[in-house]
Amino acid sequence: MKKIEAIIRPEKLDDVKEALNAYGIFGMTVTQVMGCGRQKGRKEVYRGVELNINLLPKIKIEVAANDQDVDKIIDVVSTAARTGQIGDGKIFVYDIENIIRIRTGDTGENAI
């Protein structure tokens, strides 16, 4: 089992959710986060004063998946989130030791 964590642009959230739903993935956690990478923030002018905004708003999507679905989910997310510009985001994949569904007590892949 794997945990797939994608950091994407906020405006691409609906596209990614629709693409995951079309693939059959309905369980996910979505969090608003702030961050920067190669994009290094942006400059804005407010009342004549130039401001450096280092942290930009991003969305973090977390999905637990069976090992055989990981490559397809990565492809679905990266295709739906891609704009071709700096700041499109990153995808991280982690091993999951165990999952327990609180309501039923199911464990492992049955709990996904």
Side-chain angles (χ1 to χ4, degrees), residues 54-72:
N54 294 357
L55 298 176
L56 300 174
K58 299 288 181 181
I59 296 291
K60 178 167 67 170
I61 300 172
E62 298 169 285
V63 175
N66 297 321
D67 290 337
Q68 64 268 18
D69 294 331
V70 171
D71 290 335
K72 182 61 178 171

Side-chain angles (χ1 to χ4, degrees), residues 7-88:
I7 309 295
I8 64 170
R9 295 173 180 265
E11 64 268 18
K12 298 302 279 183
L13 175 60
D14 288 336
D15 295 341
V16 172
K17 281 185 355 186
E18 289 174 14
L20 285 171
N21 289 342
Y23 180 65
I25 303 295
F26 301 101
M28 66 187 79
T29 301
V30 177
T31 311
Q32 293 181 349
V33 295
M34 302 287 284
C36 68
R38 289 187 180 170
Q39 202 172 5
K40 299 177 186 166
R42 65 176 184 261
K43 292 182 181 181
E44 289 187 4
V45 177
Y46 177 72
R47 294 188 177 185
V49 177
E50 188 174 281
L51 302 171
N52 287 323
I53 301 174
N54 294 357
L55 298 176
L56 300 174
K58 299 288 181 181
I59 296 291
K60 178 167 67 170
I61 300 172
E62 298 169 285
V63 175
N66 297 321
D67 290 337
Q68 64 268 18
D69 294 331
V70 171
D71 290 335
K72 182 61 178 171
I73 292 171
I74 290 169
D75 183 52
V76 165
V77 171
S78 61
T79 300
R82 182 176 294 126
T83 67
Q85 299 175 4
I86 292 176
D88 277 352

